Amino acid sequence: MTDTPLLPFPSNFLWGTASSAYQIEGSPTADGKGPSIWDTFSHTPGKIERQETGDRAAEHYLRYQDDIRLMKEMGLNAYRFSIAWSRIFPQGNGSLNPAGLDFYDRLIDELLANGLAPVLTLFHWDLPQALQDQGGWPNRQTTDAFADYAAVIARRLGDRVAYWITHNEPWVAAMAGHFTGEHAPGIQDPFAALQSVHHLLLSHGKALQALRSELPAGKPIGITLNLSPVHPASNTPEDQAAAHLFDAVLNRSFLDPLLYGCYPQELLEALGSFFPPIEPDDLRLISAPLDFLGVNYYTRAVIHHDPQTPLIQASQVQPIGNEYSQMWEIYPAGLFELLLRLQRDYPPLPLFITENGVPVPDGVDADGRVRDERRIRYLHQHLVQLQRAIQQGVPVIGYLVWSLLDNFEWAYGYRMRFGLCYVDFETQQRILKDSGRWFAEIVRHNGVPPLPGAQGT
Ligand code: FCB
């Protein structure tokens, strides 16, 4: 890789990739699967670019063995995936579909046989449509259905799953799904959004309780949040206040109830009137001890005071002159800042980077190679920041790249390619990109080269 000494990672560090069911599996009706809100949403005209859907996606439901072989060849030791709830309960609750459960049973056995620790996410946004028809996350009863589903999964797979994650990015599920409407179920209603925030958190608490009673002792359980440092666009008091509020809405809305058992005061002042009733036991359940916190990091948020923005008068700006991917500003130092902040402001807890990655408009060259230099640079810059944070004592147990495969990137469809491995969506051929080879080297050495020109190297 290079002759300069590598920046080392802890021994037993988890290295892998992350995925989610709807984005890769395809086979939306196979073996008795019921529809999810993403099946409905992606088939609704105008919701997804070019009317694309996850009907085929990367055909992982059919090709999971090949995909696992690929990860093994890369030398990875962990794999994060999510369960499609409506494969297990086609109607959301009630009658169980054993064939759906069998798929994940086979997947987990295959992972273990290939030396990959299964990291299981119970909910990555694909709510069974039947539960949506009964009100979805704004309906408090959905929290009980989630806990029942968690218990069933724990009973069947609990002996073999290494790490449990209740929810993926509940902030996005609540806000993109119920406030902006860019994601399924496509609702635009602040009441529905804040009801979803509280019920997603409550469902986490109830599922955590169910998992604790079903799982063998000592199985680590966590939740994955999308977190970003929030910076004011200028140092005017207005922009600073806007950034402070935005931080409460984006980060502390989930961190504080989970880790301190209370919602931030600023959030309640701004949006409290949209919350559903909070019952006496709710925050106790929500703040039950976690074994780790999953952190998805992609970018930071730069915020200015904006009287036009309803409810919070704060909105995001794109700083000029900085580097952008197809979706977001590229800001590697934010990962270091975020990890140090979590260590400073919250009780000690192992952290797990459960997603980090970048969309690049990759293509296959005439010689069959995919030269995704921009992704290598992105991963390199972020890994250096991660290593710096670990050196400073932040307890990080692993790092997962989003994603192994190019896949269905929600409202963008297949335009955003995040994979270490290229997928030709016509033929379903997989081609390991240059970044995949590069990442395999990082994993093999359990270390990352210093950045070119970095001080002291
Ligand atoms: C995250 C999601 C994941 C993927 C990446 C790019 O917000 O958890 O499913 O879409 O972004």
Side-chain angles (χ1 to χ4, degrees):
M1 196 174 336
T2 142
D3 293 337
T4 7
L6 299 178
L7 309 169
F9 280 82
S11 54
N12 303 322
F13 198 69
L14 294 160
W15 291 106
T17 61
S19 68
S20 88
Y22 189 72
Q23 294 178 276
I24 60 168
E25 284 181 358
S27 302
T29 56
D31 302 325
K33 177 180 173 292
S36 83
I37 57 173
W38 271 95
D39 292 305
T40 309
F41 191 72
S42 67
H43 282 271
T44 308
K47 300 298 185 191
I48 313 292
E49 288 186 13
R50 297 167 302 283
Q51 313 284 351
E52 288 169 345
T53 74
D55 285 359
R56 270 187 90 194
E59 290 191 353
H60 177 75
Y61 193 77
L62 306 172
R63 298 167 186 269
Y64 72 95
Q65 288 169 312
D66 295 343
D67 295 336
I68 291 173
R69 194 168 326 119
L70 196 62
M71 292 191 272
K72 184 199 167 90
E73 282 164 14
M74 290 169 72
L76 309 182
N77 62 18
Y79 174 58
R80 173 172 176 235
F81 62 97
S82 79
I83 295 207
W85 183 346
S86 65
R87 289 197 193 281
I88 314 302
F89 287 107
Q91 295 301 312
N93 50 18
S95 99
L96 180 106
N97 174 36
L101 208 36
D102 288 348
F103 169 69
Y104 296 103
D105 196 81
R106 293 195 298 275
L107 175 79
I108 287 170
D109 281 347
E110 190 77 13
L111 288 169
L112 292 172
N114 287 282
L116 290 142
V119 180
L120 183 154
T121 308
L122 285 168
F123 186 73
H124 201 124
W125 307 352
D126 46 355
L127 187 74
Q129 180 62 44
L131 293 181
Q132 187 62 42
D133 296 342
Q134 294 161 41
W137 289 114
N139 176 358
R140 191 176 163 104
Q141 281 172 6
T142 303
T143 63
D144 294 320
F146 185 64
D148 292 346
Y149 154 65
V152 164
I153 301 297
R155 250 172 258 144
R156 174 72 182 271
L157 308 175
D159 51 336
R160 286 159 294 150
V161 169
Y163 292 86
W164 290 80
I165 295 171
T166 54
H167 282 289
N168 175 72
E169 302 190 354
W171 190 87
V172 176
M175 295 300 166
H178 303 82
F179 186 66
T180 66
E182 295 152 277
H183 281 185
I187 293 169
Q188 293 177 308
D189 170 11
F191 287 97
L194 274 302
Q195 287 160 351
S196 298
V197 166
H198 185 63
H199 294 155
L200 282 157
L201 279 166
L202 181 61
S203 74
H204 157 82
K206 291 183 179 179
L208 185 60
Q209 197 175 44
L211 293 176
R212 291 268 184 239
S213 68
E214 297 294 342
L215 291 176
K219 284 281 184 186
I221 309 173
I223 183 169
T224 279
L225 303 179
N226 53 296
L227 300 171
S228 291
V230 179
H231 295 157
S234 78
N235 53 19
T236 63
E238 291 78 15
D239 282 356
Q240 289 188 346
H244 184 75
L245 176 59
F246 199 84
D247 180 56
V249 173
L250 176 68
N251 297 313
R252 294 175 50 214
S253 54
F254 283 85
L255 286 169
D256 288 15
L258 287 164
L259 301 176
Y260 284 128
C262 57
Y263 284 106
Q265 201 48 42
E266 300 87 333
L267 178 77
L268 293 176
E269 278 161 21
L271 303 174
S273 58
F274 300 106
F275 266 82
I278 298 177
E279 294 186 11
D281 219 22
D282 289 2
L283 283 154
R284 187 188 61 78
L285 278 170
I286 291 170
S287 60
L290 293 172
D291 302 308
F292 67 93
L293 177 69
V295 174
N296 289 356
Y297 178 75
Y298 289 95
T299 191
R300 65 169 169 170
V302 179
I303 298 299
H304 76 147
H305 173 66
D306 175 10
Q308 308 303 320
T309 310
L311 308 178
I312 58 170
Q313 283 81 51
S315 71
Q316 216 158 332
V317 295
Q318 310 284 9
I320 296 164
N322 295 2
E323 199 179 350
Y324 289 83
S325 73
Q326 287 172 290
M327 278 164 75
W328 296 302
E329 184 191 358
I330 297 180
Y331 193 73
L335 179 57
F336 178 81
E337 181 183 330
L338 171 66
L339 294 174
L340 273 277
R341 186 248 178 125
L342 291 171
Q343 190 187 37
R344 187 191 65 220
D345 292 354
Y346 291 94
L349 194 62
L351 304 177
F352 191 173
I353 309 301
T354 43
E355 289 181 29
N356 176 234
V358 65
V360 178
D362 301 320
V364 187
D365 290 341
D367 61 359
R369 243 173 85 183
V370 179
R371 293 175 168 78
D372 57 339
E373 275 306 312
R374 179 55 275 194
R375 177 170 294 102
I376 295 177
R377 206 157 73 235
Y378 179 99
L379 297 177
H380 192 173
Q381 290 165 326
H382 285 77
L383 283 170
V384 166
Q385 296 293 340
L386 173 61
Q387 200 269 352
R388 233 178 108 207
I390 295 172
Q391 280 320 94
Q392 302 229 349
V394 183
V396 183
I397 60 173
Y399 173 88
L400 308 178
V401 175
W402 183 271
S403 188
L404 176 69
L405 304 171
D406 291 337
N407 61 52
F408 178 81
E409 178 50 35
W410 310 115
Y412 295 103
Y414 296 96
R415 181 160 68 89
M416 300 300 172
R417 291 182 176 270
F418 273 91
L420 295 176
C421 184
Y422 183 88
V423 176
D424 177 331
F425 290 106
E426 288 301 312
T427 62
Q428 292 294 335
Q429 193 198 355
R430 276 89 162 119
I431 301 172
L432 195 63
K433 300 179 190 178
D434 282 4
S435 61
R437 288 179 223 288
W438 180 87
F439 188 58
E441 283 296 292
I442 300 297
V443 174
R444 192 162 70 83
H445 293 280
N446 201 39
V448 65
L451 289 170
Q455 271 190 354
T457 59

